[in-house]
Amino acid sequence: MHLEHIIPEAAGDGSTEENLWLACPLCNGYKGVQTHAVDPLTGVRMPLFNPRIQDWHEHFSWSADGTEIIGKTPVGRATVLALHLNNPYVVPSRKIWVVAGWHPPKD
Ligand SMILES: [Zn+2]
């Protein structure tokens, strides 16, 4: 996992605990220095989901088969797209995790 800066250091926020989160290398790479992205449904530019201050279940859900993350809100949809949360590497992995009974998370 990578220690990810929610607001990039280049934008002025530092390495305070409130601005750090663990992210897999793929998600961190897709996020880059982005802080906002366009909601594909409304076309409105939205801030990316902030796991420090927002609730995952308010903004996302799992698809019925447990393999894809569905954005439920403008923030959720923009984040799914910007971070490629259903990329061709992770969805096949989730399919295996579902068969193994490890996925989706039960919380
Ligand atoms: Zn990831």
Side-chain angles (χ1 to χ4, degrees):
M1 300 294 266
H2 287 176
L3 255 185
E4 190 263 324
H5 289 82
I6 296 169
I7 305 297
E9 287 181 290
D13 273 28
S15 297
T16 60
E17 185 176 345
E18 299 75 35
N19 193 39
L20 296 174
W21 195 254
L22 287 175
C24 78
L26 208 54
C27 290
N28 199 23
Y30 284 129
K31 180 178 178 291
V33 296
Q34 295 180 92
T35 58
H36 291 68
V38 172
D39 169 15
L41 192 64
T42 64
V44 175
R45 188 169 146 80
M46 298 300 299
L48 295 178
F49 175 72
N50 182 332
R52 286 284 186 193
I53 58 173
Q54 294 176 301
D55 178 47
W56 193 93
H57 296 280
E58 182 184 332
H59 295 280
F60 307 99
S61 63
W62 289 105
S63 61
D65 68 358
T67 64
E68 295 204 12
I69 297 176
I70 309 295
K72 296 163 57 179
T73 64
V75 166
R77 290 187 295 268
T79 302
V80 166
L81 210 59
L83 273 62
H84 300 243
L85 296 180
N86 298 311
N87 66 67
Y89 301 102
V90 74
V91 171
S93 299
R94 290 178 188 147
K95 287 180 181 168
I96 294 168
W97 301 339
V98 167
V99 171
W102 303 335
H103 195 78
K106 303 271 187 279
D107 66 342

